[in-house]
């Protein structure tokens, strides 16, 4: 560290680092390695902090971020941040979801995403943090995109899991979309599947899933038996067997 209250620079190269940001994340973030170069300058009783390069690695995530943060009176400040990650274990992604997204939605992400690997991850945050997560681009931008491979999605309690998920994830403001190119449920093959939550901040959020399925007819009967549909049809299909494909 080299500086004073008027400005300075910081260089950091450490292992086994722990970052505690209780106003941003619901738990401490642990990193196997953390390298950072930053500088700060004071102007008119406010500070501007520049993150020239911050790279990190953990069991869940390998990536880097850069950008600026400016303090603002009576505000959480203004941020302009870009980040990327080459790899992330999908199961651990929930711990990196900001508190502002909403507790129920964050809990859904933590429990629903049960496996797989994310790659080509891009993050963009820009605007006054008082308005975060910038619903419908009001006051700024919050966007996360990633490619998913080998994913396991337990999208709703009581329904069969979606497995072998290959697709794209996008968080934009308060909205989440998952575009699935290929996946399976039980023995049925899925295609052109779209899962969306229009408002992650809504405690009464609605998850909508649509798509196409193809496979042995018996697997569709199994889907009925292993989902809430069995009660909707008064267990009519119990014991029914079928051949062919549907």
């Amino acid at each position: 560290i080299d500086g004073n209250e008027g400005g300075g620079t910081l260089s950091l190269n450490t292992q086994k680092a722990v970052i505690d940001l209780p106003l941003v994340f619901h738990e401490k973030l642990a990193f196997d390695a953390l390298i950072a170069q930053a500088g700060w300058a004071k102007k008119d009783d406010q500070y501007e902090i520049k993150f020239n390069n911050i790279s990190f690695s953990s069991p869940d995530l390998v990536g880097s971020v850069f950008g600026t943060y400016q303090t603002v009176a009576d505000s959480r400040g203004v941020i302009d941040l870009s980040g990327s990650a080459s790899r992330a274990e999908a199961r651990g992604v929930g711990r990196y979801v900001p508190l502002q997204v909403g507790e129920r939605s964050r809990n859904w992400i933590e429990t629903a995403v049960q496996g797989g690997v994310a790659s080509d991850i891009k993050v963009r945050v820009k605007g006054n943090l008082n308005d975060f997560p910038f619903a419908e681009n009001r006051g700024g931008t919050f966007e996360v995109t990633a490619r998913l491979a080998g994913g396991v999605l337990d999208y709703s309690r009581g329904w069969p899991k979606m497995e072998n998920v290959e697709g794209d994830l996008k968080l934009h403001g308060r909205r989440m979309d998952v575009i699935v190119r290929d996946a399976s449920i039980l023995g049925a093959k899925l295609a052109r599947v779209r899962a969306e939550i229009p408002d992650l901040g809504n405690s009464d959020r609605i998850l909508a899933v649509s798509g196409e399925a193809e496979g042995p007819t018996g697997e569709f009967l199994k889907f009925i038996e292993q989902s809430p549909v069995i009660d909707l049809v008064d267990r009519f299909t119990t014991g029914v067997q079928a051949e062919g494909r549907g």
Side-chain angles (χ1 to χ4, degrees):
I1 299 176
D2 181 15
N4 52 45
E5 66 176 11
T9 59
L10 167 68
S11 295
L12 181 67
N13 190 340
T14 185
Q15 297 180 341
K16 303 301 180 183
V18 176
I19 296 179
D20 187 11
L21 299 172
L23 297 180
V24 182
F25 302 109
H26 73 292
E27 65 179 69
K28 296 178 181 179
L29 303 182
F31 297 98
D32 294 331
L34 178 63
I35 300 174
Q37 295 179 344
W40 71 92
K42 184 177 181 180
K43 182 179 179 181
D44 298 331
D45 295 327
Q46 300 298 326
Y47 286 90
E48 180 183 52
I49 303 173
K50 293 184 178 181
F51 306 105
N52 298 320
N53 181 48
I54 299 178
S55 58
F56 48 84
S57 64
S58 74
D60 298 319
L61 190 65
V62 176
S64 62
V65 297
F66 65 90
T68 61
Y69 170 78
Q70 293 178 321
T71 62
V72 177
D74 301 320
S75 168
R76 293 179 178 175
V78 175
I79 195 169
D80 186 349
L81 190 71
S82 298
S84 63
S86 58
R87 176 198 62 81
E89 294 296 328
R91 190 164 189 168
V93 71
R95 63 173 54 95
Y96 301 97
V97 177
L99 294 173
Q100 290 79 2
V101 168
E103 181 178 3
R104 290 186 63 184
S105 295
R106 190 176 66 254
N107 289 342
W108 180 85
I109 292 173
E110 290 181 337
T111 57
V113 183
Q114 297 190 350
V117 176
S119 62
D120 194 22
I121 304 161
K122 307 293 184 185
V123 180
R124 186 80 172 101
V125 185
K126 182 178 181 180
N128 191 310
L129 292 176
N130 280 0
D131 302 320
F132 185 85
F134 313 116
E136 299 179 355
N137 287 330
R138 290 194 299 267
T141 299
F142 171 53
E143 186 171 290
V144 180
T145 59
R147 291 185 176 275
L148 304 176
V152 178
L153 187 64
D154 188 6
Y155 52 92
S156 186
R157 182 180 300 175
W159 293 81
K161 297 178 182 179
M162 190 182 299
E163 300 178 305
N164 306 310
V165 176
E166 306 283 335
D168 299 297
L169 168 70
K170 182 175 182 179
L171 292 174
H172 187 78
R174 291 186 177 274
R175 182 182 181 87
M176 184 192 76
D177 292 282
V178 181
I179 309 300
V180 178
R181 293 184 297 274
D182 191 21
S184 62
I185 292 182
L186 301 177
K189 180 179 175 61
L190 305 179
R192 290 181 285 279
V193 173
R194 184 185 187 99
E196 60 183 45
I197 298 180
D199 188 353
L200 288 165
N202 187 345
S203 60
D204 297 322
R205 68 186 186 280
I206 297 175
L207 170 67
V209 181
S210 61
E212 300 176 4
E214 184 274 333
T217 304
E219 296 298 335
F220 290 96
L221 293 175
K222 187 186 297 184
F223 177 87
I224 293 174
E225 293 176 358
Q226 297 184 19
S227 73
V229 175
I230 190 66
D231 293 322
L232 295 176
V233 298
D234 198 23
R235 300 189 174 273
F236 174 77
T237 60
T238 300
V240 173
Q241 298 181 353
E243 296 182 356
R245 302 183 69 82

